[in-house]
Amino acid sequence: MKQIELKICLGTSCYVMGSSHLHELVDMVPSRFGDIVNVVGHNCLGQCSKNLEAGGPPYVQVDDEIIPDASIEKVLQYLEIKLK
Amino acid sequence: MSRQTIHLKKEVLVRIIKAFFSGDFINNIRLVPFQMRPKGSDVSYRCCIYKERAVLRDRIISGLGFGIENDDETLDLGIYAEQALKREKPEDIPLTVIETACKGCTPNRIHITDLCQGCVARPCQSTCRFGAISIINGKSVIDGAKCKNCKMCVPVCPYNAIVKISVPCEDSCPVAAIQKNAHGFAQIDYDKCITCGKCIIGCPFGAVHEKSQLIDVLKNLNKKIIALIAPSIVGQFPGNIYQLKSAMLKLGFSDVYEVAQGADITTKNEALEFKERLEKGEPLMTTSCCAGYFNFVEKHLPEIKRFVSDTKTPLYYIAEQAKARHPDAVTVFISPCTAKKSEAHACANVDYVLNYEELGAVFVALNMEITACEQVPFDTESSREGRAFGITGGVAAAVASISEIRVNPCIINGLNKDSIKRLRQIAREGRCPPADCAPQDASRAPDAASGCNLVEVMCCENGCIGGNAAIAPEKISKKALADFLKMTPAADQP
């Protein structure tokens, strides 16, 4: 199976709105899903200027899919469904 | 701590700032509750959309810098915005409880649930030292008049049938300053409150707010306005503090000073004062730059005052320097917590305070990317010791680094029931027996005969990086700060 890339946006808006707390995913995701998901911090994904009203920062990108207003629970739930 | 409430509060701040810069502040501020909860949107938290908007209205009022306690509900948000623009000075008390947001949750008490089997052993009854538990109709019942909330009965029940009902704001307050009023809603007793901000984080409904001084600062941007950034800011934003400085200059601050520079003055004076006091025969000194601790001493433990260092805080020194150099400038302290708001309010050289969340909200509202900014150095670079003031143990370590007298520090890492007990003991006995001190600092060499001689008190666990307005989790900010300190040279030894 192809590896999934999970990018946590560390741009200023995302960081301020809570992406620094998503850092826990770095440990949580591999322990739950194994090596299939690669979690990385990423410079600004550019979403804030694109999708002003779509839920807002912090953003997480899983392959090509954007998760707005991301929380640890939301991201784990998303992966759960995606990997089923 | 709930991310959700913190996120919501930040979103409100971002919307206020966007309205401020929209060109029609007065009208657009009125629309914010409707933009956040438009017609037909999901009701996320409350009973209905109207209640959600009402709570948002009150959150905005505190974001504009006003208390909710005296709110005239008929007033339009636009009128509040106008008053905020006209205001010369921020309000005295930095906190407000938003009663519409307060759940009025079940009072703090011990409750026996219906899981109680009325067993023969009845360990609850025999454990209770106050005779508060009796058996009625084959089940344990607590007599509220006798129960002292000691919780002894909770762990002994073999069915886990006894629970302690918590009121999170009350539990978070180290000095019992927030309590339910006659209507069951949280109320702060400001004669007791030390403005530590723990209830802001504690309340899962986000009902306790800081009155923000955002508008006071925003209306002064692009004038002569100097930001004083606290040492704990490292790690609270992406990029380094040189990029942060440049981003703040772009926001419209005319200059940015590190408070760590003031910390270097505090260290020198504190070390001198420490020597003086010990040579006079005093057993110990409490050193702190924590405004929450000062408020605590003032309101709850005046007996310890004789040991409290008179040396001023880093904020005091840097603000004095800033005003001496630029008497016509407005000074804004960028703070990790609410407590510093009370210190700044009493300090003639500090005009306003923004906390990290509020500053962050400005970056978000203006969509500014700090890591894209160039690095701008500070006129004076602070020392490694000064830059470490924001983390528990930093102040004591700085004093120890230049003190002529050997320092045996006792580190009080956060005000709570236990540490307050210890401070009371220190005040009463005039000594801090090292045997009871948890060794927290590798440099500490406890000397059984003399005991600890330098007591550092931080109101928040981990120090200022654990302040109520911190953006990053402590794990992240601790590492960022450690990396930054490695790059900073130590102070010149005298």
Side-chain angles (χ1 to χ4, degrees):
Chain A
M1 208 167 157
K2 197 177 142 277
Q3 207 182 32
I4 294 169
E5 180 119 286
L6 190 150
K7 293 177 185 161
I8 302 170
C9 179
L10 297 176
T12 303
S13 289
C14 287
Y15 197 92
V16 169
M17 297 308 279
S19 76
S20 57
H21 289 271
L22 299 176
H23 189 265
E24 283 175 44
L25 288 169
V26 173
D27 296 329
M28 280 168 109
V29 167
S31 74
R32 190 171 314 182
F33 301 100
D35 291 340
I36 187 83
V37 189
N38 184 30
V39 184
V40 289
H42 200 276
N43 292 341
C44 181
L45 295 166
Q47 291 299 319
C48 294
S49 39
K50 253 193 271 174
N51 307 299
L52 270 181
E53 297 298 329
Y59 291 98
V60 163
Q61 186 173 349
V62 182
D63 285 342
D64 296 329
E65 199 90 34
I66 293 286
I67 307 176
D69 196 8
S71 62
I72 288 176
E73 300 73 36
K74 203 167 166 182
V75 172
L76 291 177
Q77 212 172 18
Y78 179 90
L79 289 174
E80 201 82 58
I81 294 167
K82 188 176 168 85
L83 290 168
K84 219 184 340 187
Chain B
M1 148 163 81
S2 156
R3 302 276 140 72
Q4 241 43 47
T5 58
I6 293 171
H7 190 273
L8 184 64
K9 284 180 185 178
K10 285 189 230 176
E11 189 183 344
V12 168
L13 293 173
V14 170
R15 301 263 183 182
I16 293 174
I17 300 159
K18 283 188 174 166
F20 179 88
F21 286 111
S22 68
D24 189 1
F25 184 31
I26 307 301
N27 187 46
N28 285 333
I29 194 78
R30 190 179 62 79
L31 299 177
V32 172
F34 301 94
Q35 287 161 348
M36 289 181 69
R37 294 292 178 270
K39 198 173 174 180
S41 63
D42 288 344
V43 178
S44 320
Y45 308 115
R46 309 284 174 171
C47 56
C48 64
I49 199 166
Y50 309 105
K51 169 97 181 186
E52 294 219 343
R53 287 180 189 153
V55 177
L56 286 169
R57 172 187 176 275
D58 290 356
R59 293 191 195 280
I60 292 165
I61 291 172
S62 78
L64 292 171
F66 300 99
I68 289 301
E69 288 79 2
N70 305 316
D71 170 40
D72 172 355
E73 289 183 357
T74 62
L75 284 189
D76 190 272
L77 281 175
I79 294 176
Y80 275 105
E82 268 174 0
Q83 286 175 3
L85 286 171
K86 274 191 239 153
R87 169 177 63 209
E88 295 272 323
K89 263 194 123 9
E91 292 193 4
D92 292 346
I93 294 166
L95 291 169
T96 183
V97 178
I98 296 186
E99 205 174 286
T100 47
C102 174
K103 178 72 170 39
C105 43
T106 316
N108 225 330
R109 61 186 164 88
I110 309 294
H111 176 68
I112 300 181
T113 64
D114 55 11
L115 295 173
C116 170
Q117 305 294 313
C119 64
V120 176
R122 294 179 185 174
C124 54
Q125 204 179 15
S126 53
T127 304
C128 181
R129 286 184 292 161
F130 307 104
I133 297 181
S134 49
I135 312 296
I136 297 173
N137 295 333
K139 300 240 177 184
S140 296
V141 174
I142 294 183
D143 178 350
K146 288 183 183 161
C147 175
K148 306 266 188 227
N149 274 326
C150 74
K151 296 183 280 196
M152 296 294 278
C153 55
V154 175
V156 298
C157 174
Y159 297 99
N160 294 324
I162 308 179
V163 291
K164 151 106 173 44
I165 298 177
S166 292
V167 177
C169 64
E170 289 181 7
D171 287 354
S172 65
C173 180
V175 292
I178 188 164
Q179 245 141 27
K180 289 173 169 296
N181 63 18
H183 306 289
F185 295 113
Q187 192 172 338
I188 298 175
D189 177 348
Y190 293 104
D191 291 335
K192 288 186 183 168
C193 175
I194 58 172
T195 67
C196 66
K198 290 185 199 288
C199 53
I200 297 179
I201 305 173
C203 174
F205 283 87
V208 188
H209 269 243
E210 265 187 71
K211 295 178 197 166
S212 178
Q213 299 174 13
L214 255 175
I215 303 302
D216 309 77
V217 175
L218 293 180
K219 71 185 181 196
N220 278 298
L221 288 178
N222 298 313
K223 295 180 187 162
K224 200 159 183 190
I225 177 166
I226 300 174
L228 314 168
I229 55 171
S232 54
I233 204 162
V234 175
Q236 300 297 329
F237 294 97
N240 58 40
I241 62 167
Y242 305 106
Q243 289 171 309
L244 179 67
K245 175 176 177 181
S246 132
M248 291 178 74
L249 295 177
K250 285 197 181 113
L251 289 182
F253 285 95
S254 49
D255 206 349
V256 181
Y257 293 4
E258 279 186 271
V259 173
Q261 208 187 310
D264 289 338
I265 307 174
T266 298
T267 306
K268 283 192 188 115
N269 292 345
E270 192 111 272
L272 283 177
E273 185 180 353
F274 178 61
K275 181 171 178 252
E276 256 171 47
R277 280 175 178 260
L278 265 71
E279 280 176 355
K280 262 199 301 188
E282 289 183 22
L284 57 92
M285 180 174 97
T286 79
T287 162
S288 174
C289 305
C290 172
Y293 172 60
F294 289 147
N295 292 340
F296 169 75
V297 169
E298 205 57 52
K299 292 183 178 176
H300 299 277
L301 195 59
E303 305 91 287
I304 207 169
K305 260 189 193 166
R306 60 195 168 120
F307 298 127
V308 177
S309 142
D310 295 319
T311 297
K312 304 290 186 196
T313 66
L315 173 61
Y316 177 92
Y317 291 120
I318 194 70
E320 191 178 52
Q321 279 190 7
K323 284 280 189 184
R325 264 186 252 171
H326 305 283
D328 52 336
V330 168
T331 49
V332 183
F333 175 54
I334 310 294
S335 161
C337 70
T338 315
K340 277 281 179 188
K341 262 186 190 164
S342 66
E343 181 191 332
H345 198 76
C347 177
N349 290 323
V350 185
D351 295 303
Y352 303 114
V353 179
L354 276 193
N355 67 31
Y356 297 158
E357 287 177 350
E358 291 161 346
L359 175 66
V362 181
F363 288 130
V364 176
L366 299 181
N367 204 6
M368 188 171 290
E369 186 50 52
I370 299 171
T371 50
C373 296
E374 71 275 26
Q375 306 199 28
V376 179
F378 293 89
D379 292 345
T380 314
E381 290 283 328
S382 310
S383 74
R384 187 191 301 158
E385 289 79 5
R387 283 175 172 168
F389 264 48
I391 192 158
T392 278
V395 183
V399 174
S401 75
I402 60 164
S403 175
E404 290 175 28
I405 295 182
R406 179 168 144 171
V407 169
N408 278 337
C410 164
I411 308 290
I412 305 267
N413 185 15
L415 281 186
N416 52 46
K417 247 190 195 162
D418 291 337
S419 62
I420 287 175
K421 215 186 254 172
R422 180 159 188 83
L423 284 169
R424 286 196 192 287
Q425 186 195 359
I426 292 173
R428 202 172 47 237
E429 297 176 10
R431 66 192 194 99
C432 175
D436 314 343
C437 255
Q440 303 200 16
D441 184 343
S443 70
R444 204 170 75 87
D447 181 338
S450 58
C452 304
N453 53 15
L454 190 68
V455 183
E456 182 200 285
V457 188
M458 286 284 196
C459 193
C460 296
E461 213 173 304
N462 290 316
C464 309
I465 58 167
N468 66 282
I471 288 171
E474 285 132 40
K475 203 171 138 194
I476 305 264
S477 48
K478 240 183 206 171
K479 184 170 181 311
L481 190 59
D483 290 346
F484 181 58
L485 293 178
K486 262 185 230 153
M487 290 163 42
T488 306
D492 299 332
Q493 296 298 319

